Amino acid sequence: TVTAGNTGKTYGDTDPGLTYQITSGSLAFTDTFTGNIQRTAGENAGSYAITEGTLALNNNYNLNVNQGTFTITPRAITVTGDSVTKVYGNPDPVFTYQTTSGTLVAGDSFTGTLTRDPGKDVGVYAVTQGTLSLGSNYTLTYINGQLTIGKRDITITADAKSKTEGQSDPPLTWTVTDLVSGDTYTGALD
């Protein structure tokens, strides 16, 4: 009887060699094993049986193989959201990120997009993971970026006015440029 050794790898890495040991009985004379134990095919994260495969002995033996387990663990990736800015009232910029630890396996790619905490006023908002994913073959760690909303510059231009001496002052009026739709101003000119 031989027992396959439990082993494994990280998703995307090369398989290590499979091993086994005699756990019951012994070989006679100079007899040797031929062939190899094998694991169930598959490259996604999960558990796979290590089986007899082509392992054999001559007809003088009854060979029993105790299966082992080959475990493929998810690959670790850390992503950090980039910090971005915008002016109050402007559309959000595209939220981007950088891989700061780990690597992708060739042919794999991210899906989904980042999002941010809600709010439109001047301040700092977290840029969060949103739907960004790599699937079950990866353990994705996401570090928030931030969106800083800065104040919007507006220009108030006082309208030219005149009056005849002794008359009351005319109403003071002005023109405002670049005010965000829905916002209003308060106060009056002096």
Side-chain angles (χ1 to χ4, degrees):
T1 300
V2 298
T3 299
N6 294 329
T7 189
K9 68 175 184 175
T10 298
Y11 168 74
D13 290 351
T14 303
D15 280 12
L18 301 178
T19 61
Y20 59 89
Q21 63 182 11
I22 297 173
T23 52
S24 175
S26 62
L27 295 177
F29 309 110
T30 58
D31 291 345
T32 59
F33 291 95
T34 60
N36 297 295
I37 58 175
Q38 296 173 337
R39 74 170 180 93
T40 304
E43 290 302 321
N44 290 322
S47 295
Y48 300 85
I50 301 173
T51 62
E52 184 174 337
T54 61
L55 190 67
L57 288 168
N58 66 38
N59 290 335
N60 294 319
Y61 297 90
N62 289 320
L63 177 60
N64 297 306
V65 177
N66 293 325
Q67 291 186 0
T69 302
F70 189 91
T71 304
I72 300 177
T73 56
R75 189 173 198 84
I77 294 282
T78 300
V79 170
T80 301
D82 294 328
S83 292
V84 292
T85 61
K86 76 168 193 170
V87 172
Y88 168 75
N90 287 355
D92 282 353
V94 174
F95 298 124
T96 56
Y97 54 88
Q98 306 295 321
T99 300
T100 51
S101 174
T103 57
L104 292 180
V105 172
D108 288 352
S109 60
F110 290 92
T111 60
T113 56
L114 302 180
T115 189
R116 72 171 178 95
D117 287 347
K120 66 175 188 166
D121 294 331
V122 169
V124 178
Y125 300 86
V127 176
T128 59
Q129 184 172 348
T131 60
L132 189 69
S133 175
L134 281 170
S136 61
N137 286 326
Y138 292 86
T139 302
L140 178 60
T141 301
Y142 178 79
I143 299 170
N144 287 347
Q146 66 182 29
L147 168 67
T148 301
I149 301 177
K151 292 183 177 182
R152 182 176 204 86
D153 291 331
I154 63 167
T155 302
I156 298 174
T157 304
D159 297 329
K161 298 289 180 173
S162 63
K163 72 171 190 173
T164 304
E165 185 175 340
Q167 292 183 336
S168 299
D169 287 349
L172 301 177
T173 59
W174 60 91
T175 304
V176 178
T177 59
D178 216 20
L179 191 65
V180 173
S181 177
D183 285 353
T184 58
Y185 47 85
T186 59
L189 297 177
D190 288 332

